Amino acid sequence: MIPLILYDISSKLEGNHWSPNPAKPRYVLGHKSLPFRVEWVEYPDIAPKMKEIEARQNKLMDRDMYTLPVLSDPNTGALVTDSLEIAEYLEKTYPQKPIFPNKSRGLIRAFDTAVISLLRPGVKLPIVRTSEILDERSAKYYITTREATFKEKFTEFSPEGPKRDENWAILERMFSTSQEWYDKEVGKWLMGDVFSYADIIIAAVLFWFKRVLHDDEWEKIASWHDGRWAKLLVDVEKECNGA
Ligand SMILES: N[C@@H](CCC(=O)N[C@@H](CS)C(=O)NCC(=O)O)C(=O)O
């Protein structure tokens, strides 16, 4: 089998990976034991590179734009944009070790939307921290585009004080809600004993936080709810063969 190619966003971090949406297909590939290699792209190069390989654009906040992850599968000729589309493509093409068990594709799509809407109001501190781990050219692009998206100066995103405190409160609420969902079944996964893409969605957020937040900030999240989030990330990474 020819290794698949996953397009991911580069950083200055050791090991490079940091971005939550590309982390999702990486986990799926690992879970299904599919061979793959990563093609690293800097932020300002995403659009030209994706145009060059003829990837399709994505819809982001009602705007057509080139986004990562994109997956190229030389075994079938498929070129897929969007983490959830990639997950569905991989499930259909490589059905071993399912990630949408019990016909859960629709429900997990709804879960993805629910997680994004809980997370979106709390992303400003993680965004500030992300700008610190990108190379200079990517950081400049990232800051300018995020200021335009949120219509706010970057220095106002999460200054220490009430705004930062409110950001933490939003994140804690998101994980409290997730805890209620997880506690409905016995077992370490959202579906009890059955691992699914829903766990990958939560793990990808945790992965982003762990990689970009300062140590004391990640420790704070890791300590919430008796350390269950740090443990969930470890469990998912194990289930995905360390991908
Ligand atoms: N719904 C998409 C969202 C992907 C997305 O937002 N990607 C961001 C990075 S995490 C991106 O590529 N942004 C391009 C840009 O800001 O120019 C997915 O799940 O793949």
Side-chain angles (χ1 to χ4, degrees):
M1 183 174 180
I2 313 167
L4 288 80
I5 304 162
L6 178 61
Y7 291 85
D8 195 344
I9 307 168
S10 205
S11 79
K12 296 186 292 190
L13 291 175
E14 203 183 315
N16 222 336
H17 299 282
W18 64 273
S19 182
N21 287 311
K24 296 172 191 170
R26 191 173 73 249
Y27 288 144
V28 178
L29 289 160
H31 178 68
K32 290 180 176 286
S33 303
L34 295 167
F36 70 99
R37 68 176 174 83
V38 176
E39 184 98 10
W40 296 105
V41 186
E42 292 290 347
Y43 257 107
D45 303 330
I46 295 176
K49 179 79 197 166
M50 292 307 106
K51 235 181 257 174
E52 182 193 310
I53 66 167
E54 299 183 353
R56 87 165 168 81
Q57 285 190 307
N58 211 337
K59 265 253 171 323
L60 215 58
M61 306 213 184
D62 282 337
R63 260 184 58 217
D64 286 329
M65 61 186 287
Y66 289 100
T67 60
L68 295 185
V70 163
L71 181 85
S72 158
D73 185 350
N75 302 286
T76 62
L79 186 62
V80 192
T81 301
D82 192 274
S83 58
L84 195 49
E85 296 295 326
I86 296 171
E88 292 188 3
Y89 164 79
L90 289 172
E91 185 81 334
K92 207 167 85 195
T93 316
Y94 306 102
Q96 73 267 21
K97 298 194 79 191
I99 46 161
F100 296 105
N102 300 328
K103 304 191 192 308
S104 57
R105 256 178 359 149
L107 281 174
I108 292 181
R109 197 166 264 270
F111 179 76
D112 190 45
T113 307
V115 171
I116 291 169
S117 52
L118 283 178
L119 176 65
R120 188 163 287 144
V123 289
K124 284 191 181 158
L125 175 61
I127 284 179
V128 169
R129 294 295 178 245
T130 299
S131 73
E132 297 168 4
I133 58 101
L134 296 174
D135 102 330
E136 207 180 313
R137 204 164 63 89
S138 281
K140 213 166 146 193
Y141 172 94
Y142 188 73
I143 291 170
T144 313
T145 50
R146 270 57 193 170
E147 282 184 332
T149 302
F150 290 99
K151 299 183 178 49
E152 190 173 33
K153 278 215 79 63
F154 208 65
T155 45
E156 286 306 309
F157 269 33
S158 187
E160 272 190 69
K163 261 190 169 169
R164 174 88 51 100
D165 296 345
E166 173 58 12
N167 200 151
W168 278 113
I170 293 167
L171 293 178
E172 195 163 6
R173 271 201 300 276
M174 172 194 152
F175 284 107
S176 296
T177 304
S178 305
Q179 155 148 285
E180 281 171 30
W181 292 337
Y182 268 83
D183 282 349
K184 291 289 175 199
E185 296 292 342
V186 177
K188 61 183 168 194
W189 309 124
L190 186 70
M191 294 172 74
D193 294 331
V194 183
F195 177 72
S196 75
Y197 190 69
D199 303 299
I200 287 182
I201 290 169
I202 299 289
V205 175
L206 291 165
F207 170 77
W208 178 31
F209 291 170
K210 185 173 182 193
R211 292 291 278 166
V212 306
L213 292 177
H214 294 171
D215 286 349
D216 59 320
E217 294 166 345
W218 166 248
E219 285 310 322
K220 186 156 148 164
I221 294 173
S223 75
W224 285 340
H225 310 127
D226 295 327
R228 78 179 296 162
W229 306 114
K231 183 170 179 320
L232 180 68
L233 180 58
V234 170
D235 288 341
V236 168
E237 294 195 335
K238 211 156 106 200
E239 188 67 26
C240 298
N241 299 314

